[in-house]
Amino acid sequence: MPYTTILIDDEQDCLNLLKWQLETYCPDMKIIAACNAAEDGLQAIEKMQPDVIFLDIQMPFINGFELLRRIPKINFEVVFTTAYDEYALKALKINALDYLLKPIAKDELLSSVEKFKNRVKSKNKGDDQPLLLQLLNLQNNPSKKIAIPIQDSILFLNIDDILYIKSESNYSTIQLKNLKSILASKTLRHFEDLLNGNQFYRIHASYLINLVEITKYKKTEGGSIVMSNGEEIKISRGRKDDFIKLL
């Protein structure tokens, strides 16, 4: 089946090359718009509702990350394209489908397209997009509340109120500073991705802690930390060195 895609890049040569590559190597990717300005890209996305977009990051006036923040509902996948590899980590942190470095190699492009198709097959389109929006907003405003899915509702919490998050298999227990706890229907990895780059650190396979709430570091018995509620949590052996460097 054909998939619709929009290309957005302020460099016309790069736009033309990517268009040729997709048409030549990925004929089932139907290009419905190729825009060399972010504003044109926003309008095209709103009007045409693509399955996936290939989005340049470094553009004048509105960069790729800001463009996504201006879209109320992201119901498509995102592949970032850029000549600057310094953006790779940020692109991955916000749960983008992929990140392609210019000049885009044929095998890298084919890999991204295959990854897109696999994601479409494995889940309903758009399932990850609320996470993408949360990550974009959280990086733009670190004090922003996050959405916590609980049973048949969604709870909104300020990240500063979280003491730690503990893995419970496919669920997570969120321990708050007021001693209350919440069972969320998301994995610890979900929250690690969501809160990465803020004051949270995965100190153990089962614990994501708020670094601000540490009151003591104990060197004995392999190392552990004491949280502001008095609870002691062991540091995993593989993360101890990185944690000490972080401190």
Tab-separated table of all heavy atoms in Angstrom, residues 105-131:
chain	number	residue	atom	x	y	z
A	105	ALA	N	22.565	8.697	2.861
A	105	ALA	CA	22.983	7.492	2.150
A	105	ALA	C	21.766	6.642	1.814
A	105	ALA	O	20.787	6.604	2.568
A	105	ALA	CB	23.966	6.691	3.001
A	106	LYS	N	21.847	5.928	0.693
A	106	LYS	CA	20.730	5.100	0.231
A	106	LYS	C	20.319	4.075	1.280
A	106	LYS	O	19.130	3.924	1.576
A	106	LYS	CB	21.125	4.397	-1.068
A	106	LYS	CG	20.087	3.386	-1.559
A	106	LYS	CD	20.587	2.629	-2.781
A	106	LYS	CE	19.628	1.518	-3.174
A	106	LYS	NZ	20.131	0.749	-4.350
A	107	ASP	N	21.303	3.367	1.858
A	107	ASP	CA	20.962	2.311	2.818
A	107	ASP	C	20.349	2.876	4.091
A	107	ASP	O	19.470	2.252	4.698
A	107	ASP	CB	22.194	1.462	3.150
A	107	ASP	CG	23.331	2.267	3.719
A	107	ASP	OD1	23.371	3.491	3.512
A	107	ASP	OD2	24.212	1.677	4.382
A	108	GLU	N	20.774	4.085	4.504
A	108	GLU	CA	20.189	4.717	5.683
A	108	GLU	C	18.740	5.122	5.416
A	108	GLU	O	17.866	4.971	6.279
A	108	GLU	CB	21.008	5.944	6.086
A	108	GLU	CG	22.423	5.638	6.547
A	108	GLU	CD	22.444	4.897	7.860
A	108	GLU	OE1	21.502	5.053	8.654
A	108	GLU	OE2	23.402	4.134	8.090
A	109	LEU	N	18.488	5.617	4.224
A	109	LEU	CA	17.119	5.996	3.862
A	109	LEU	C	16.217	4.771	3.815
A	109	LEU	O	15.105	4.782	4.352
A	109	LEU	CB	17.123	6.702	2.512
A	109	LEU	CG	15.746	7.107	1.957
A	109	LEU	CD1	15.053	8.094	2.890
A	109	LEU	CD2	15.879	7.686	0.555
A	110	LEU	N	16.698	3.708	3.184
A	110	LEU	CA	15.908	2.475	3.107
A	110	LEU	C	15.625	1.912	4.502
A	110	LEU	O	14.536	1.397	4.765
A	110	LEU	CB	16.638	1.439	2.259
A	110	LEU	CG	16.747	1.746	0.760
A	110	LEU	CD1	17.614	0.708	0.061
A	110	LEU	CD2	15.366	1.807	0.122
A	111	SER	N	16.612	2.031	5.390
A	111	SER	CA	16.428	1.564	6.759
A	111	SER	C	15.339	2.364	7.472
A	111	SER	O	14.514	1.804	8.200
A	111	SER	CB	17.749	1.675	7.525
A	111	SER	OG	17.582	1.330	8.879
A	112	SER	N	15.319	3.677	7.264
A	112	SER	CA	14.292	4.527	7.878
A	112	SER	C	12.903	4.187	7.358
A	112	SER	O	11.939	4.123	8.125
A	112	SER	CB	14.586	6.009	7.595
A	112	SER	OG	15.680	6.455	8.341
A	113	VAL	N	12.799	3.979	6.074
A	113	VAL	CA	11.501	3.643	5.479
A	113	VAL	C	11.014	2.298	6.006
A	113	VAL	O	9.824	2.130	6.323
A	113	VAL	CB	11.602	3.629	3.940
A	113	VAL	CG1	10.329	3.049	3.316
A	113	VAL	CG2	11.849	5.040	3.417
A	114	GLU	N	11.916	1.331	6.132
A	114	GLU	CA	11.542	0.020	6.667
A	114	GLU	C	11.113	0.141	8.126
A	114	GLU	O	10.150	-0.512	8.564
A	114	GLU	CB	12.722	-0.943	6.536
A	114	GLU	CG	12.388	-2.381	6.886
A	114	GLU	CD	11.351	-2.985	5.948
A	114	GLU	OE1	11.249	-2.525	4.783
A	114	GLU	OE2	10.644	-3.923	6.373
A	115	LYS	N	11.821	0.973	8.874
A	115	LYS	CA	11.465	1.192	10.279
A	115	LYS	C	10.064	1.809	10.382
A	115	LYS	O	9.270	1.440	11.246
A	115	LYS	CB	12.494	2.115	10.932
A	115	LYS	CG	12.349	2.246	12.433
A	115	LYS	CD	13.382	3.214	13.002
A	115	LYS	CE	14.794	2.712	12.823
A	115	LYS	NZ	15.771	3.587	13.499
A	116	PHE	N	9.768	2.737	9.487
A	116	PHE	CA	8.445	3.356	9.460
A	116	PHE	C	7.360	2.306	9.202
A	116	PHE	O	6.344	2.248	9.893
A	116	PHE	CB	8.398	4.441	8.384
A	116	PHE	CG	7.015	4.812	7.951
A	116	PHE	CD1	6.173	5.522	8.790
A	116	PHE	CD2	6.547	4.418	6.703
A	116	PHE	CE1	4.880	5.846	8.398
A	116	PHE	CE2	5.262	4.741	6.296
A	116	PHE	CZ	4.431	5.458	7.148
A	117	LYS	N	7.580	1.455	8.200
A	117	LYS	CA	6.592	0.431	7.861
A	117	LYS	C	6.377	-0.546	9.017
A	117	LYS	O	5.250	-0.954	9.301
A	117	LYS	CB	7.039	-0.316	6.609
A	117	LYS	CG	7.017	0.540	5.353
A	117	LYS	CD	7.550	-0.250	4.158
A	117	LYS	CE	7.586	0.604	2.909
A	117	LYS	NZ	8.172	-0.129	1.756
A	118	ASN	N	7.465	-0.902	9.675
A	118	ASN	CA	7.353	-1.824	10.816
A	118	ASN	C	6.582	-1.193	11.964
A	118	ASN	O	5.806	-1.873	12.644
A	118	ASN	CB	8.748	-2.237	11.294
A	118	ASN	CG	9.431	-3.176	10.318
A	118	ASN	OD1	8.778	-3.851	9.535
A	118	ASN	ND2	10.756	-3.204	10.350
A	119	ARG	N	6.794	0.105	12.182
A	119	ARG	CA	6.067	0.768	13.267
A	119	ARG	C	4.577	0.831	12.957
A	119	ARG	O	3.747	0.640	13.838
A	119	ARG	CB	6.623	2.178	13.507
A	119	ARG	CG	5.963	2.879	14.667
A	119	ARG	CD	6.593	4.203	15.033
A	119	ARG	NE	7.876	4.031	15.697
A	119	ARG	CZ	8.517	5.026	16.307
A	119	ARG	NH1	7.993	6.245	16.344
A	119	ARG	NH2	9.687	4.823	16.873
A	120	VAL	N	4.246	1.097	11.703
A	120	VAL	CA	2.833	1.142	11.304
A	120	VAL	C	2.178	-0.222	11.512
A	120	VAL	O	1.044	-0.325	11.980
A	120	VAL	CB	2.695	1.576	9.828
A	120	VAL	CG1	1.254	1.395	9.346
A	120	VAL	CG2	3.111	3.027	9.664
A	121	LYS	N	2.912	-1.284	11.178
A	121	LYS	CA	2.368	-2.631	11.320
A	121	LYS	C	2.213	-3.043	12.781
A	121	LYS	O	1.293	-3.768	13.146
A	121	LYS	CB	3.283	-3.641	10.616
A	121	LYS	CG	3.279	-3.533	9.107
A	121	LYS	CD	4.291	-4.501	8.506
A	121	LYS	CE	4.367	-4.350	6.992
A	121	LYS	NZ	5.402	-5.231	6.401
A	122	SER	N	3.129	-2.598	13.630
A	122	SER	CA	3.168	-3.093	15.005
A	122	SER	C	2.219	-2.376	15.956
A	122	SER	O	1.932	-2.867	17.027
A	122	SER	CB	4.597	-2.989	15.553
A	122	SER	OG	4.991	-1.625	15.627
A	123	LYS	N	1.763	-1.209	15.582
A	123	LYS	CA	0.861	-0.479	16.475
A	123	LYS	C	-0.052	0.437	15.683
A	123	LYS	O	0.187	0.720	14.524
A	123	LYS	CB	1.653	0.335	17.494
A	123	LYS	CG	2.530	1.407	16.882
A	123	LYS	CD	3.387	2.088	17.918
A	123	LYS	CE	4.484	1.168	18.402
A	123	LYS	NZ	5.411	1.863	19.315
A	124	ASN	N	-1.103	0.886	16.309
A	124	ASN	CA	-1.978	1.844	15.659
A	124	ASN	C	-1.227	3.136	15.435
A	124	ASN	O	-0.551	3.630	16.317
A	124	ASN	CB	-3.212	2.131	16.534
A	124	ASN	CG	-4.111	0.923	16.629
A	124	ASN	OD1	-4.226	0.159	15.684
A	124	ASN	ND2	-4.733	0.748	17.780
A	125	LYS	N	-1.376	3.690	14.246
A	125	LYS	CA	-0.669	4.922	13.925
A	125	LYS	C	-1.022	6.032	14.923
A	125	LYS	O	-2.174	6.266	15.219
A	125	LYS	CB	-1.023	5.392	12.509
A	125	LYS	CG	-0.189	6.573	12.030
A	125	LYS	CD	-0.580	6.995	10.622
A	125	LYS	CE	-1.881	7.724	10.626
A	125	LYS	NZ	-2.197	8.314	9.318
A	126	GLY	N	0.012	6.681	15.428
A	126	GLY	CA	-0.205	7.806	16.338
A	126	GLY	C	-0.103	7.443	17.792
A	126	GLY	O	-0.155	8.316	18.644
A	127	ASP	N	0.037	6.158	18.161
A	127	ASP	CA	0.097	5.769	19.574
A	127	ASP	C	1.234	6.451	20.317
A	127	ASP	O	1.117	6.765	21.489
A	127	ASP	CB	0.270	4.247	19.694
A	127	ASP	CG	-1.042	3.523	19.452
A	127	ASP	OD1	-2.064	4.211	19.325
A	127	ASP	OD2	-1.036	2.288	19.382
A	128	ASP	N	2.366	6.680	19.633
A	128	ASP	CA	3.517	7.283	20.284
A	128	ASP	C	3.490	8.803	20.233
A	128	ASP	O	4.313	9.453	20.856
A	128	ASP	CB	4.815	6.811	19.610
A	128	ASP	CG	5.244	5.452	20.112
A	128	ASP	OD1	4.670	4.991	21.111
A	128	ASP	OD2	6.149	4.863	19.502
A	129	GLN	N	2.564	9.395	19.504
A	129	GLN	CA	2.651	10.824	19.289
A	129	GLN	C	2.372	11.681	20.529
A	129	GLN	O	2.976	12.727	20.698
A	129	GLN	CB	1.757	11.245	18.115
A	129	GLN	CG	2.123	10.553	16.811
A	129	GLN	CD	3.595	10.553	16.512
A	129	GLN	OE1	4.302	11.484	16.845
A	129	GLN	NE2	4.089	9.480	15.897
A	130	PRO	N	1.452	11.274	21.433
A	130	PRO	CA	1.341	12.050	22.659
A	130	PRO	C	2.662	12.110	23.418
A	130	PRO	O	3.017	13.132	24.005
A	130	PRO	CB	0.268	11.284	23.451
A	130	PRO	CG	-0.569	10.644	22.394
A	130	PRO	CD	0.425	10.235	21.333
A	131	LEU	N	3.429	11.011	23.391
A	131	LEU	CA	4.750	11.021	24.027
A	131	LEU	C	5.659	12.004	23.313
A	131	LEU	O	6.387	12.761	23.950
A	131	LEU	CB	5.355	9.616	23.990
A	131	LEU	CG	6.819	9.498	24.424
A	131	LEU	CD1	6.991	9.972	25.857
A	131	LEU	CD2	7.316	8.073	24.261
